[in-house]
Amino acid sequence: MYLVDPPPARYRTILIQDARERHATSDVPLLLPQGMEHLATQEGAVQDALGRPWHDLRISVTDQCNFRCRYCMPKEVFGRDYAFLPHRALLSFDEIAHLVATAVPLGVRKVRLTGGEPLLRKHLEHLIATLAAQAEARAVPLDIAMTSNGSLLAAKAAAFRSAGLGRITVSLDALDERIFQQMSDADVSVATVLRGIDAALRAGFERVKVNVVVRRGWNEDQIVPMARHFLGMPVSLRFIEFMDVGQSNGWSMAHVVPGSEILERLQREFHLTSLAPATPGETARRWAYQAQGAPASTAQTEIGLINSVTQAFCGDCNRARITADGQLFTCLFAQSGVNLLPYLRGGDATAKPLGRLLRAVWSQRTDRYSEVRKDVSVKARANKAEMNYLGG
Ligand code: SAM
Ligand code: SF4
Ligand code: SF4
């Protein structure tokens, strides 16, 4: 990625101007390295410099959240005086729809609406309906998904479903109220989140994913109770290793509960059967689990481990992220993104070849932070963008 200015400490204010724009001409505004000029005019699905296709686009619709999860937006950093993006800086639904329409011909088949807490953005069902209609009009299968903390989901699940949302993931780190409160640092109960999950199932989502971030010393004792609670339900649990995203969550390797340990804890309690990957680039290693000694015919529930720290999966990584103010990041751990605003907003934006920019950015992508984490310099660790800004 070209980086002209040193990355600023706060991400929202910035324009990460990249060399492609600086050297722009009106027609082909991208300055591609010698020998790669052909990339700007190619058509069809795009691959990055390591041969990875682009399949997944995560869209942060707001950087704000009604939770202050200690591993994501600790109150000490994201306090009352924290300057979130002003509303006018957020991409409009039309701008997001234009971006998605441009990304689909490059191979994107899945969009995930996230944040911050996406349900803080009003009328999100309108965006979902637009994306679904756009995909239908072009006869392109587009998987529209969302990740939410579940606190406001009960009232919206049916509207999202009928607008065309295909999948919903709800984050819930503990069933124990005290542990949940300590981790989420918000005035929302476990029961409220569980009601959100129930509402989603009643609204017709066949299966709800439940994300559990496991952080040493906080909630590893919740792994088995959570698996027990959801056993037999159309819920897929995802245990996620605590990651070193951003600068604020005080991450250390000592806080990571390795997926191997999570697996051992589950195996002591349940009978697990390994499942093959359902999709290319899948981040979770999946198992079906059932009570020990239960007949094989007993309904099984799915569990997945996202071992992003101890077993990096950069080799298959097909995800890009767009921040709420229109910066494109090709890695969760990147320090900078590419500013898409000039291609999405303003008088002559529609004349600018957004598709070519996206193709060039993805074609040059070499990110593999998790694979090289140990060797990453202190400088490269500094100023990583925060998760609420990037979109998880
Ligand atoms: N607010 C929504 C939620 O919590 O579901 C969506 C945004 S949140 C950033 C997306 C996902 O990232 C959540 O499942 C959250 O648990 C996860 N996450 C946030 N910080 C993390 C960290 N440091 N390590 C691992 N997962 C993290
Ligand atoms: Fe908010 Fe989600 Fe981050 Fe928790 S993980 S603070 S719910 S954005
Ligand atoms: Fe993808 Fe970056 Fe995560 Fe590797 S570290 S899996 S490249 S987002």
Side-chain angles (χ1 to χ4, degrees):
M1 198 116 320
Y2 295 115
L3 184 66
V4 174
D5 301 318
R10 305 298 284 277
Y11 294 88
R12 81 199 53 69
T13 48
I14 2 51
L15 168 53
I16 296 152
Q17 191 190 14
D18 81 344
R20 303 170 195 104
E21 283 171 42
R22 272 215 323 180
H23 298 276
T25 69
S26 59
D27 188 25
V28 183
L30 312 175
L31 186 73
L32 291 165
Q34 214 175 5
M36 294 181 80
E37 297 86 351
H38 62 287
L39 294 172
T41 51
Q42 275 182 355
E43 290 186 355
V46 62
Q47 290 198 342
D48 72 8
L50 302 177
R52 299 168 296 188
W54 183 17
H55 182 267
D56 191 329
L57 176 60
R58 302 196 173 186
I59 302 169
S60 173
V61 293
T62 175
D63 61 338
Q64 303 211 26
C65 188
N66 56 341
F67 281 23
R68 285 293 177 274
C69 299
R70 303 205 56 77
Y71 53 76
C72 178
M73 297 178 71
K75 235 175 215 161
E76 302 74 49
V77 178
F78 296 88
R80 279 176 188 279
D81 56 349
Y82 187 85
F84 288 98
L85 292 168
H87 193 264
R88 66 176 181 286
L90 305 182
L91 290 186
S92 69
F93 289 170
D94 281 349
E95 287 162 349
I96 293 174
H98 175 52
L99 171 62
V100 172
T102 312
V104 163
L106 302 179
V108 168
R109 290 293 178 271
K110 181 171 179 181
V111 294
R112 178 171 295 279
L113 305 178
T114 179
E117 174 48 36
L119 274 77
L120 294 186
R121 188 83 188 252
K122 280 191 191 141
H123 308 306
L124 204 50
E125 59 277 19
H126 295 174
L127 174 61
I128 296 166
T130 303
L131 297 179
Q134 217 169 245
E136 196 178 328
R138 294 171 172 220
V140 177
L142 183 70
D143 194 357
I144 306 174
M146 183 187 295
T147 307
S148 162
N149 63 29
S151 59
L152 305 167
L153 186 59
K156 298 294 278 190
F160 290 165
R161 182 65 185 163
S162 44
L165 188 67
R167 297 164 195 259
I168 180 101
T169 299
V170 176
S171 303
L172 176 65
D173 300 321
L175 288 172
D176 179 284
E177 196 67 57
R178 190 183 54 84
I179 300 173
F180 178 69
Q181 294 297 337
Q182 277 173 356
M183 288 184 75
S184 59
D185 212 356
D187 194 15
V188 172
S189 66
V190 172
T192 301
V193 179
L194 291 176
R195 270 197 294 278
I197 295 172
D198 277 352
L201 292 171
R202 272 186 279 112
F205 290 95
E206 277 171 33
R207 189 164 276 278
V208 173
K209 261 191 214 164
V210 173
N211 276 358
V212 187
V213 175
V214 185
R215 201 281 199 181
R216 175 80 71 204
W218 289 356
N219 67 335
E220 64 265 54
D221 289 345
Q222 292 293 293
I223 295 168
V224 167
M226 291 199 73
R228 222 181 269 134
H229 178 87
F230 290 109
L231 186 58
M233 288 176 64
V235 163
S236 303
L237 271 172
R238 292 284 182 268
F239 292 104
I240 305 174
E241 290 178 347
F242 173 44
M243 289 187 283
D244 50 333
V245 189
Q247 303 300 309
S248 307
N249 63 13
W251 183 89
S252 113
M253 194 63 206
H255 299 145
V256 178
V257 180
S260 55
E261 180 183 326
I262 298 174
L263 186 62
E264 275 167 31
R265 284 174 180 257
L266 291 165
Q267 277 169 330
R268 280 202 291 273
E269 186 77 15
F270 304 102
H271 176 71
L272 270 66
T273 315
S274 174
L275 298 172
T279 50
E282 190 168 64
T283 51
R285 298 178 174 216
R286 300 179 310 127
W287 282 265
Y289 73 102
Q290 58 185 145
Q292 298 274 16
S297 57
T298 311
Q300 298 192 355
T301 309
E302 188 193 287
I303 220 155
L305 302 182
I306 304 190
N307 302 343
S308 19
V309 178
T310 61
Q311 286 176 312
F313 36 73
C314 302
D316 285 335
C317 182
N318 54 24
R319 291 174 296 285
R321 293 173 162 84
I322 180 87
T323 66
D325 60 347
Q327 311 289 318
L328 180 71
F329 280 71
T330 54
C331 179
L332 184 54
F333 299 94
Q335 293 176 310
S336 61
V338 174
N339 184 19
L340 300 187
L341 277 187
Y343 297 78
L344 289 169
R345 186 172 288 180
D348 64 343
T350 48
K352 296 202 177 187
L354 176 63
R356 290 192 199 178
L357 176 72
L358 298 178
R359 178 178 294 281
V361 171
W362 190 268
S363 302
Q364 295 171 71
R365 173 183 188 249
T366 54
D367 305 284
R368 45 195 282 271
Y369 177 91
S370 287
E371 282 181 355
V372 295
R373 177 179 272 109
K374 280 203 290 292
D375 308 320
V376 169
S377 69
V378 173
K379 200 171 154 207
R381 282 177 204 276
N383 287 321
K384 287 190 264 93
E386 298 292 344
M387 187 79 140
N388 68 305
Y389 176 60
L390 272 183

